[in-house]
Amino acid sequence: MNRREFIKGSIALTAGLMIDPFGGITMAESNQKWWQRTVFYQIYAKSFNDANGDGVGDLRGIIARLDYLQSLNVGAIWITPIYPSPMVDNGYDISDYTTIDPRYGTMSDFDELIEEARARGIKIIMDLVYNHSSDRHPWFVESKSDRSNPKADWYIWRDAVDGHEPTNWRSIFGGSAWTWSAERQQYYLHTFAKEQPDLNWENPAVRRALYDSARSWIDRGVGGFRIDAIVYIKKPSKFVNGTPDGADGMINIHTMTANTDGILDFLHEFKRECFDGRDIVTVGEANSVKPSQLKDWVGTDGVFDMLFEFSHLGLGIENEVWCRPRRWKLTELKSALTASQQATAQNGWYPIFFENHDQPRGVNQYFASDADPIKAARALATVLLTMRGTPFIYEGQELGVTNVNRSSIDEYEDIQTHAQYEFALKEGLTATEALECVQTRSRDNARLPIDWSKATPVNNPVLMWYLELTDFRLAHEELLSGTYKELLPRDEQIFAFERTLGTKKLITAVNFSTSEAKLPKSFAELKILLGSEHNPEPLKLRPLEARIYRG
Ligand code: NOJ
């Protein structure tokens, strides 16, 4: 058995065995759940791997890459929505929660994926999109048909106010968050696109239907869920106008409805009905839950196992508006991550991620434009895979994929890219300036087909580094269950922290800048266990250099 196979043995441990091949602390002793000791990998279904050659990724394409993912020490795969969808928002507009979209395969392909993954110690995590459905979902078609059908109250309907939209809320994808239905002669609310009407969670029948579909996937063998846009499910008791935040006279709906009081009551019920007593993992997407509120959301009294919160994303723009760039400092990134670490230090758990299908590529988002992309990708990987929490690698991140600029707005597919482009024009930017903004931020940057010819460790230094780091993480109990303490918090070049378990300590130091950085003298005594460069200088980190020391 070579070392890699040996380490894979420790993944089996995450699935319930208590023998630790490294003679360290076993899972039972560490009292951790499998998902706290697992490297997760996110797949954007459409662009991951196309097995049947129709230009769209599919389930058989995922099955074909399971060996690759296993060699990367991946123990769970979150797949973005693969349910039937008109694809207005690439699958986040679902027209049937209970089955698989034929473009991705069949239910039996899905069952095979679960089995093949299980055989490799990998769990499949599904995406639940329960804030809204597609406007083509039969529930909405019925709901909009008149005001007295059995589903009349399944969505959020309001009369016009003085012949206009009930409030001045702007949807996240641009334009009013209210759309008029000529059929029903009322407005319906949509936090995202008009083709994504918000479900009415106040209606117990809606909640029951959603819980039923979640349970059906658990019965099919999924290992858990990533839960989309969950902070929007509870609406305020009164719908009022807000102070406009843009030239269009509207206010972002997020400001008016995110994380409304009472939301946790719904979520406790959701947990009781679907997750309690089942060995699955739940990760909520929770833009706007603050570190101080994390205790109510994750941990002993929480509603999910982990939360994707957004405090370290979008540092380069104001209020998530792509055309309002801002300068940011490394200390902002470090303190955002450290605050979440501290909030979950005693209770709760944290998913570590820098990329997903909604974000620009990490190399472009977190490093200067003159940064060497390979070194930058390796630097970010080092933080991702040595922090406390569960690391999520986004497809292609391990291959060093970077943003790709398109030369015209027409070449962009993503609905939000078009919305942000239009918003920028309304704000007075020229077409060229608006295009530059979307080039930097477009979600298409992360959604292009993966070029699998790049996936050989021999030719790809980023992949090589990911393989080494995931091996290293799983072989070091300090990284799996040790504490986190930030070092050099005021340093604007170096991201450094220590991970401690009992008397054992590891220290990570990564130079995020494109110039040389000085380490404090105390680092001279430390032994380097893993380094991204052969650098003989003990107290100088080269641009983008990453090191892991024995502390
Ligand atoms: C968050 C998802 O990650 C994003 O891709 C989607 O557009 C919105 N939620 C709406 O479902």
Side-chain angles (χ1 to χ4, degrees):
M1 197 191 264
N2 65 27
R3 179 156 184 269
R4 176 162 295 283
E5 283 162 349
F6 195 53
I7 287 166
K8 274 187 213 146
S10 76
I11 299 184
L13 182 136
T14 67
L17 301 180
M18 289 179 197
I19 313 147
D20 178 2
F22 300 97
I25 294 177
T26 64
M27 180 168 62
E29 279 170 54
S30 76
N31 216 9
Q32 285 187 309
K33 302 266 178 41
W34 63 266
W35 44 265
Q36 295 176 296
R37 306 173 67 81
T38 297
V39 174
F40 280 55
Y41 187 94
Q42 184 194 346
I43 285 180
Y44 191 70
K46 191 177 164 193
S47 62
F48 180 68
N49 194 26
D50 172 17
N52 64 3
D54 65 356
V56 178
D58 42 45
L59 296 179
R60 306 218 67 84
I62 300 175
I63 294 171
R65 290 278 156 200
L66 287 173
D67 284 340
Y68 164 80
L69 295 173
Q70 189 188 21
S71 75
L72 197 56
N73 290 308
V74 166
I77 303 171
W78 153 31
I79 309 177
T80 55
I82 45 177
Y83 315 94
S85 163
M87 293 282 169
V88 170
D89 184 20
N90 268 325
Y92 283 92
D93 48 320
I94 295 170
S95 53
D96 182 351
Y97 289 107
T98 62
T99 186
I100 300 287
D101 191 304
R103 82 191 76 202
Y104 296 124
T106 61
M107 274 298 214
S108 79
D109 292 331
F110 184 74
D111 291 339
E112 194 177 321
L113 170 64
I114 296 216
E115 275 319 307
E116 290 293 327
R118 200 198 314 268
R120 293 166 176 81
I122 299 175
K123 304 204 186 219
I124 299 297
I125 310 301
M126 291 287 267
D127 210 315
L128 292 183
V129 188
Y130 282 179
N131 173 66
H132 46 269
S133 72
S134 159
D135 63 342
R136 309 264 188 88
H137 196 295
W139 297 343
F140 187 74
V141 173
E142 187 174 344
S143 188
K144 75 169 181 185
S145 62
D146 57 46
R147 298 186 194 189
S148 59
N149 66 75
K151 300 229 165 21
D153 197 22
W154 278 45
Y155 292 83
I156 297 168
W157 294 98
R158 289 289 184 279
D159 290 331
V161 174
D162 301 329
H164 291 287
E165 291 81 3
T167 64
N168 67 343
W169 301 348
R170 182 192 315 109
S171 77
I172 290 177
F173 291 159
S176 174
W178 296 99
T179 289
W180 180 251
S181 159
E183 248 174 299
R184 180 164 155 152
Q185 292 288 301
Q186 271 185 318
Y187 282 100
Y188 65 88
L189 184 69
H190 49 93
T191 301
F192 295 92
K194 66 179 189 325
E195 295 86 355
Q196 294 168 296
D198 281 29
L199 284 153
N200 179 13
W201 273 68
E202 301 296 334
N203 183 337
V206 170
R207 305 204 298 274
R208 268 198 305 276
L210 296 175
Y211 301 158
D212 280 349
S213 84
R215 279 189 297 252
S216 75
W217 292 103
I218 300 175
D219 294 344
R220 245 191 147 90
V222 306
F225 301 107
R226 177 267 191 185
I227 300 147
D228 185 71
I230 199 68
V231 291
Y232 302 114
I233 58 169
K234 177 83 185 178
K235 310 298 188 255
S237 54
K238 285 206 182 100
F239 288 6
V240 293
N241 285 334
T243 311
D245 63 11
D248 59 4
M250 290 191 259
I251 180 166
N252 188 345
I253 188 172
H254 175 88
T255 317
M256 305 305 287
T257 64
N259 200 1
T260 296
D261 279 352
I263 189 170
L264 288 166
D265 297 337
F266 284 155
L267 295 178
H268 277 290
E269 180 188 83
F270 189 7
K271 178 177 178 240
R272 250 189 340 266
E273 292 287 327
C274 298
F275 313 137
D276 274 353
R278 296 175 160 104
D279 184 24
I280 56 161
V281 64
T282 57
V283 197
E285 188 207 22
N287 181 2
S288 81
V289 171
K290 299 186 180 62
S292 58
Q293 298 170 312
L294 277 175
K295 64 177 183 343
D296 300 325
W297 287 75
V298 292
T300 335
D301 302 322
V303 286
F304 297 125
D305 294 320
M306 299 184 262
L307 271 198
F308 288 125
E309 48 97 16
F310 286 34
S311 57
H312 65 294
L313 304 176
L315 293 170
I317 47 175
E318 298 282 354
N319 289 331
E320 298 181 27
V321 178
W322 296 1
C323 65
R324 293 188 190 146
R326 68 181 282 275
R327 295 183 78 81
W328 61 279
K329 295 182 179 158
L330 182 65
T331 43
E332 291 177 70
L333 173 64
K334 296 196 296 184
S335 45
L337 289 169
T338 298
S340 309
Q341 290 281 339
Q342 282 166 350
T344 51
Q346 304 302 331
N347 186 12
W349 195 249
Y350 187 75
I352 318 154
F353 73 104
F354 292 103
E355 292 192 15
N356 63 30
H357 62 293
D358 295 332
Q359 292 297 315
R361 288 294 184 173
V363 167
N364 303 85
Q365 178 157 206
Y366 294 103
F367 299 90
S369 52
D370 63 343
D372 176 310
I374 292 173
K375 291 184 182 178
R378 287 161 60 110
L380 199 60
T382 313
V383 174
L384 175 71
L385 289 159
T386 59
M387 277 198 115
R388 180 173 183 271
T390 296
F392 281 72
I393 302 169
Y394 178 64
E395 63 172 43
Q397 188 175 355
E398 80 283 13
L399 302 175
V401 174
T402 54
N403 281 358
V404 178
N405 285 354
R406 273 127 181 241
S407 52
S408 148
I409 185 65
D410 302 331
E411 290 172 38
Y412 285 93
E413 199 175 312
D414 164 37
I415 184 170
Q416 191 176 17
T417 302
H418 288 273
Q420 290 277 349
Y421 180 81
E422 292 303 321
F423 185 82
L425 294 180
K426 281 200 190 113
E427 292 284 289
L429 274 74
T430 65
T432 311
E433 289 164 343
L435 182 64
E436 272 168 23
C437 296
V438 303
Q439 284 170 335
T440 312
R441 296 293 313 182
S442 175
R443 305 195 297 179
D444 282 351
N445 283 312
R447 299 175 173 196
L448 300 175
I450 299 298
D451 176 359
W452 288 107
S453 69
K454 300 227 165 77
T456 49
V458 192
N459 301 326
N460 188 328
V462 178
L463 180 58
M464 193 63 226
W465 189 238
Y466 268 87
L467 293 169
E468 282 190 50
L469 280 172
T470 56
D471 278 2
F472 189 86
R473 180 178 181 89
L474 296 178
H476 286 85
E477 191 58 44
E478 304 92 304
L479 296 182
L480 295 173
S481 60
T483 58
Y484 166 93
K485 185 173 159 226
E486 190 185 356
L487 303 175
L488 317 177
R490 280 181 293 282
D491 197 297
E492 293 294 0
Q493 288 177 282
I494 302 174
F495 197 156
F497 49 87
E498 59 183 37
R499 304 290 318 282
T500 310
L501 184 70
T503 54
K504 288 183 139 188
K505 186 185 287 180
L506 291 173
I507 294 178
T508 296
V510 179
N511 182 0
F512 266 62
S513 79
T514 48
S515 40
E516 196 172 77
K518 277 196 195 120
L519 285 161
K521 287 209 179 68
S522 56
F523 277 72
E525 277 112 62
L526 304 176
K527 181 174 174 222
I528 300 175
L529 298 187
L530 203 60
S532 65
E533 309 243 345
H534 298 288
N535 177 2
E537 294 274 0
L539 295 182
K540 282 183 192 153
L541 286 177
R542 288 181 186 157
L544 307 165
E545 182 175 353
R547 290 180 185 166
I548 305 170
Y549 299 90
R550 166 64 64 208

